[in-house]
Amino acid sequence: MTSKKVPAERTTSRKVPAESRTNTRRGLIEQEIYVQATRLFAERGFAGTNFQDIADAVGLTRPALYHYVSSKDELLAKLVAEITQDAATDIATEAARTDADPAQKLHSIVASTARRQGEHADRFRLLVRSEADLPVEIATTHEAGRRAVLKSIASVIEEGVRTGVFRTVDPRVAALGALGMVNWVAWWYRAGGRDDLDTVCDELADMAVAGLRGRDDGHAPQSPAEAIAAVREDLDRLERLL
């Protein structure tokens, strides 16, 4: 009687396709190029950084760098898109929500904007410092994003005034005041420092909403100057708490 030989158990290993490995490697290199370019722009300014500086920082030759990006303008355009266009899209989506009242929407917008400023402070500072040097097309995109953000926040405040959630204010001035509070986060917040980012975001969002609901002394600012003064007073109070 002959015994049947049991075939050895086959083991299969899934090989990652060469194309997938190439795409992954390319993605990692492109991200490193973006990180290093952002760092150099922040340190030297956009005008003070050339393509060779970026190549040296990444460890590539200048010709090799051209395989990944065409110019430093392309890198700056990506930064502007990430900082302004993505934010404008997210804020517009929040402003259009129908399952939250204006106070909840404003709180969410201010908190998320402050978080972006805290988590990407170097990029926001870079963008502010480089505004005068931005190529025309990129400057236009940046300005359009800023206008869209202001419009969305003003629309939330206008909705709050109309529905009685907020007191009567100029929505645009109030929106500028809210943005003024969060836009400075990139300049004074430091990760790992004494300030907790979650607390900062909640404090600023609470202040923005409370300032529009009405003041404790029963006095509601009647002019843009009074509204701005009220925002400054709240900022002074926050700084004393930090």
Side-chain angles (χ1 to χ4, degrees), residues 213-225:
R213 283 191 184 279
R215 304 188 62 75
D216 293 338
D217 58 10
H219 171 67
Q222 298 299 315
S223 69

PDB file of all heavy atoms in Angstrom, residues 213-225:
ATOM      1  N   ARG A 213     -23.369  87.588  22.776  1.00  0.00           N
ATOM      2  CA  ARG A 213     -24.637  87.384  23.489  1.00  0.00           C
ATOM      3  C   ARG A 213     -24.990  88.614  24.319  1.00  0.00           C
ATOM      4  O   ARG A 213     -26.147  88.915  24.538  1.00  0.00           O
ATOM      5  CB  ARG A 213     -24.528  86.162  24.411  1.00  0.00           C
ATOM      6  CG  ARG A 213     -24.615  84.823  23.690  1.00  0.00           C
ATOM      7  CD  ARG A 213     -24.776  83.709  24.689  1.00  0.00           C
ATOM      8  NE  ARG A 213     -24.769  82.388  24.109  1.00  0.00           N
ATOM      9  CZ  ARG A 213     -25.808  81.805  23.522  1.00  0.00           C
ATOM     10  NH1 ARG A 213     -26.949  82.463  23.401  1.00  0.00           N
ATOM     11  NH2 ARG A 213     -25.717  80.591  23.036  1.00  0.00           N
ATOM     12  N   GLY A 214     -23.982  89.315  24.801  1.00  0.00           N
ATOM     13  CA  GLY A 214     -24.240  90.481  25.643  1.00  0.00           C
ATOM     14  C   GLY A 214     -23.260  90.506  26.789  1.00  0.00           C
ATOM     15  O   GLY A 214     -22.749  89.470  27.212  1.00  0.00           O
ATOM     16  N   ARG A 215     -22.993  91.693  27.328  1.00  0.00           N
ATOM     17  CA  ARG A 215     -22.018  91.850  28.388  1.00  0.00           C
ATOM     18  C   ARG A 215     -22.687  91.797  29.750  1.00  0.00           C
ATOM     19  O   ARG A 215     -23.855  92.093  29.914  1.00  0.00           O
ATOM     20  CB  ARG A 215     -21.255  93.158  28.206  1.00  0.00           C
ATOM     21  CG  ARG A 215     -20.588  93.238  26.829  1.00  0.00           C
ATOM     22  CD  ARG A 215     -19.683  94.427  26.715  1.00  0.00           C
ATOM     23  NE  ARG A 215     -18.594  94.374  27.678  1.00  0.00           N
ATOM     24  CZ  ARG A 215     -17.536  93.575  27.553  1.00  0.00           C
ATOM     25  NH1 ARG A 215     -17.450  92.747  26.530  1.00  0.00           N
ATOM     26  NH2 ARG A 215     -16.581  93.591  28.447  1.00  0.00           N
ATOM     27  N   ASP A 216     -21.880  91.427  30.768  1.00  0.00           N
ATOM     28  CA  ASP A 216     -22.416  91.265  32.126  1.00  0.00           C
ATOM     29  C   ASP A 216     -22.990  92.559  32.692  1.00  0.00           C
ATOM     30  O   ASP A 216     -23.922  92.545  33.486  1.00  0.00           O
ATOM     31  CB  ASP A 216     -21.315  90.755  33.067  1.00  0.00           C
ATOM     32  CG  ASP A 216     -20.899  89.332  32.712  1.00  0.00           C
ATOM     33  OD1 ASP A 216     -21.700  88.637  32.070  1.00  0.00           O
ATOM     34  OD2 ASP A 216     -19.788  88.942  33.090  1.00  0.00           O
ATOM     35  N   ASP A 217     -22.411  93.706  32.291  1.00  0.00           N
ATOM     36  CA  ASP A 217     -22.879  94.968  32.852  1.00  0.00           C
ATOM     37  C   ASP A 217     -24.105  95.510  32.128  1.00  0.00           C
ATOM     38  O   ASP A 217     -24.600  96.601  32.419  1.00  0.00           O
ATOM     39  CB  ASP A 217     -21.758  96.014  32.803  1.00  0.00           C
ATOM     40  CG  ASP A 217     -21.235  96.254  31.381  1.00  0.00           C
ATOM     41  OD1 ASP A 217     -21.868  95.763  30.434  1.00  0.00           O
ATOM     42  OD2 ASP A 217     -20.205  96.939  31.251  1.00  0.00           O
ATOM     43  N   GLY A 218     -24.598  94.743  31.179  1.00  0.00           N
ATOM     44  CA  GLY A 218     -25.803  95.140  30.467  1.00  0.00           C
ATOM     45  C   GLY A 218     -25.564  96.171  29.378  1.00  0.00           C
ATOM     46  O   GLY A 218     -26.486  96.605  28.705  1.00  0.00           O
ATOM     47  N   HIS A 219     -24.304  96.568  29.194  1.00  0.00           N
ATOM     48  CA  HIS A 219     -23.987  97.572  28.174  1.00  0.00           C
ATOM     49  C   HIS A 219     -23.549  96.877  26.895  1.00  0.00           C
ATOM     50  O   HIS A 219     -22.569  96.152  26.887  1.00  0.00           O
ATOM     51  CB  HIS A 219     -22.869  98.486  28.660  1.00  0.00           C
ATOM     52  CG  HIS A 219     -22.357  99.408  27.584  1.00  0.00           C
ATOM     53  ND1 HIS A 219     -23.130 100.417  27.038  1.00  0.00           N
ATOM     54  CD2 HIS A 219     -21.152  99.461  26.944  1.00  0.00           C
ATOM     55  CE1 HIS A 219     -22.419 101.067  26.129  1.00  0.00           C
ATOM     56  NE2 HIS A 219     -21.226 100.503  26.036  1.00  0.00           N
ATOM     57  N   ALA A 220     -24.272  97.076  25.843  1.00  0.00           N
ATOM     58  CA  ALA A 220     -23.929  96.487  24.548  1.00  0.00           C
ATOM     59  C   ALA A 220     -23.241  97.548  23.697  1.00  0.00           C
ATOM     60  O   ALA A 220     -23.762  98.649  23.540  1.00  0.00           O
ATOM     61  CB  ALA A 220     -25.189  95.996  23.832  1.00  0.00           C
ATOM     62  N   PRO A 221     -22.048  97.242  23.165  1.00  0.00           N
ATOM     63  CA  PRO A 221     -21.358  98.217  22.315  1.00  0.00           C
ATOM     64  C   PRO A 221     -22.246  98.651  21.149  1.00  0.00           C
ATOM     65  O   PRO A 221     -22.860  97.818  20.487  1.00  0.00           O
ATOM     66  CB  PRO A 221     -20.137  97.438  21.817  1.00  0.00           C
ATOM     67  CG  PRO A 221     -19.907  96.406  22.878  1.00  0.00           C
ATOM     68  CD  PRO A 221     -21.272  96.020  23.347  1.00  0.00           C
ATOM     69  N   GLN A 222     -22.298  99.944  20.921  1.00  0.00           N
ATOM     70  CA  GLN A 222     -23.161 100.476  19.886  1.00  0.00           C
ATOM     71  C   GLN A 222     -22.406 100.869  18.619  1.00  0.00           C
ATOM     72  O   GLN A 222     -23.017 101.227  17.632  1.00  0.00           O
ATOM     73  CB  GLN A 222     -23.910 101.707  20.437  1.00  0.00           C
ATOM     74  CG  GLN A 222     -24.810 101.387  21.616  1.00  0.00           C
ATOM     75  CD  GLN A 222     -25.905 100.397  21.253  1.00  0.00           C
ATOM     76  OE1 GLN A 222     -26.545 100.535  20.211  1.00  0.00           O
ATOM     77  NE2 GLN A 222     -26.115  99.404  22.091  1.00  0.00           N
ATOM     78  N   SER A 223     -21.090 100.863  18.665  1.00  0.00           N
ATOM     79  CA  SER A 223     -20.299 101.289  17.512  1.00  0.00           C
ATOM     80  C   SER A 223     -19.185 100.295  17.265  1.00  0.00           C
ATOM     81  O   SER A 223     -18.830  99.510  18.154  1.00  0.00           O
ATOM     82  CB  SER A 223     -19.696 102.674  17.773  1.00  0.00           C
ATOM     83  OG  SER A 223     -18.707 102.590  18.789  1.00  0.00           O
ATOM     84  N   PRO A 224     -18.582 100.299  16.053  1.00  0.00           N
ATOM     85  CA  PRO A 224     -17.427  99.424  15.789  1.00  0.00           C
ATOM     86  C   PRO A 224     -16.295  99.645  16.777  1.00  0.00           C
ATOM     87  O   PRO A 224     -15.657  98.691  17.215  1.00  0.00           O
ATOM     88  CB  PRO A 224     -17.031  99.814  14.358  1.00  0.00           C
ATOM     89  CG  PRO A 224     -18.304 100.286  13.733  1.00  0.00           C
ATOM     90  CD  PRO A 224     -19.025 101.005  14.838  1.00  0.00           C
ATOM     91  N   ALA A 225     -16.053 100.912  17.149  1.00  0.00           N
ATOM     92  CA  ALA A 225     -14.975 101.201  18.096  1.00  0.00           C
ATOM     93  C   ALA A 225     -15.234 100.555  19.443  1.00  0.00           C
ATOM     94  O   ALA A 225     -14.332  99.989  20.080  1.00  0.00           O
ATOM     95  CB  ALA A 225     -14.814 102.716  18.260  1.00  0.00           C
TER      96      ALA A 225
END
